[in-house]
Amino acid sequence: MLLMVKSVLASGVMLATLGMCSSVQIIAPYDASLEQALSERNEEFVELVAALESDLSDGVPAYAEYEPRYIALAARLETASTRARLTSLGAAEPVCALPEMMRARLEARLGASALRTIAAGSTQDEADEDTVRGCTARLMSNVQEQFSNFTSMHYCASVSRPEDSLAQQAWDRRCPDGRLMLNTLVLETASGQMKQTLEYAWAVELAKKPSGEES
Amino acid sequence: MSLDVEAIVQKMMSSASTAFGEKWSQVEDFAESEFKALATSMVEISRNVARHELGQGGYDLPTGKALFRMHRLTLEQAFVAVTAMVLVAVQSALDAILGVLAEAFSELVDLIL
């Protein structure tokens, strides 16, 4: 397994940084399976939100009805996140400070207005574990946290604070603001952040695809 | 002072260089667009909480606070993702910036901050 990982890393794409530092960055290699997985997770989340929105016309749907879907999607997001971490393992990708060339491709894909700006050109030499995690891996970690918050919005709108004191503590930890509302406006806002980050993670992975192979 | 996006962004930018210190140069390039997104979110949340209190839709204060916390988390993650800053340093800088906002915009204090 280790040999396989090293082999993958050895074929990692080397890109000259066009920014201030003029140094060379080794970014995590393009992973077609990961790109496909991110695209599929994005579609699944959009479908999930659409189903929830549809059900909202009859009031807040029971959290328990959606919990199996939430658990399943959380597991698939974890799989994609793990793959992104493994793919970028050891590649000295300086967080998300991607080279200018990749940023241009990202902007072409997503549109400048929809794109969260990426700092280009700067490099970090720090070799701590956090720094060497690739950009896609970092974004996937963010997506997972955002999904957890999204499901909590539904939980706190659907499940009343229990009577039992131990159960109350668990509820209070998950619902620090107390009982919440869930309507289409809240749903749109709560899902928007995750959709953006997930689409962004996909676009970052796609931007690593070698030139000439992009469909 | 009125609660508008541009005014909030300007206040955030003016306090951010101090709050981020020597890391500001790593953040400055993209901070303005991120601050604008957060400021837009703040104004939207404030308006929706106000609408709810008037019985005109929107959502209640606890929901507004939860949505704001989600947006702040996204902003923190974005800063961490594009810099080598650790999360606690980003959180500390944002606490300082939001503290300045709370002094300048009393409407926000009573609502989401």
Side-chain angles (χ1 to χ4, degrees), chain A residues 63 70 147-157 174-175 180:
Chain A
Y63 180 81
Y70 289 151
F147 186 58
S148 173
N149 287 329
F150 174 81
T151 61
S152 287
M153 290 288 297
H154 186 181
Y155 177 84
C156 301
R174 193 162 187 193
C175 307
L180 302 180

Side-chain angles (χ1 to χ4, degrees), chain B residues 49-81:
Chain B
V49 170
R51 281 191 194 114
H52 180 73
E53 288 173 356
L54 294 170
Q56 298 173 352
Y59 39 75
D60 60 12
L61 182 57
T63 305
K65 283 178 179 286
L67 289 173
F68 177 72
R69 199 173 49 253
M70 286 173 73
H71 200 124
R72 179 188 160 143
L73 173 74
T74 301
L75 181 65
E76 289 172 359
Q77 292 170 334
F79 276 119
V80 171

Side-chain angles (χ1 to χ4, degrees), chain A residues 88-160:
Chain A
S88 63
L89 192 66
E93 186 173 333
V95 293
C96 285
L98 302 177
E100 188 73 37
M101 184 172 71
M102 282 181 60
R103 186 171 68 159
R105 293 174 69 182
L106 268 171
E107 285 178 350
R109 171 68 58 175
L110 289 181
S113 61
L115 178 64
R116 186 181 294 285
T117 310
I118 302 176
S122 62
T123 60
Q124 306 297 327
D125 295 325
E126 298 158 46
D128 60 84
E129 186 186 353
D130 215 26
T131 303
V132 298
R133 278 171 58 205
C135 185
T136 310
R138 277 173 171 263
L139 289 166
M140 282 310 294
S141 175
N142 297 352
V143 165
Q144 287 179 283
E145 193 158 359
Q146 287 171 332
F147 186 58
S148 173
N149 287 329
F150 174 81
T151 61
S152 287
M153 290 288 297
H154 186 181
Y155 177 84
C156 301
S158 167
V159 180
S160 300

Side-chain angles (χ1 to χ4, degrees), chain A residues 1-12 29 82-83 85-91:
Chain A
M1 179 64 183
L2 185 59
L3 281 175
M4 191 172 75
V5 170
K6 283 182 176 174
S7 171
V8 168
L9 293 177
S11 64
T82 300
R83 187 175 181 106
R85 281 198 300 274
L86 286 174
T87 303
S88 63
L89 192 66

Side-chain angles (χ1 to χ4, degrees), chain A residues 2-24:
Chain A
L2 185 59
L3 281 175
M4 191 172 75
V5 170
K6 283 182 176 174
S7 171
V8 168
L9 293 177
S11 64
V13 184
M14 293 185 70
L15 293 171
T17 304
L18 302 176
M20 296 182 298
C21 298
S22 298
S23 59
V24 174

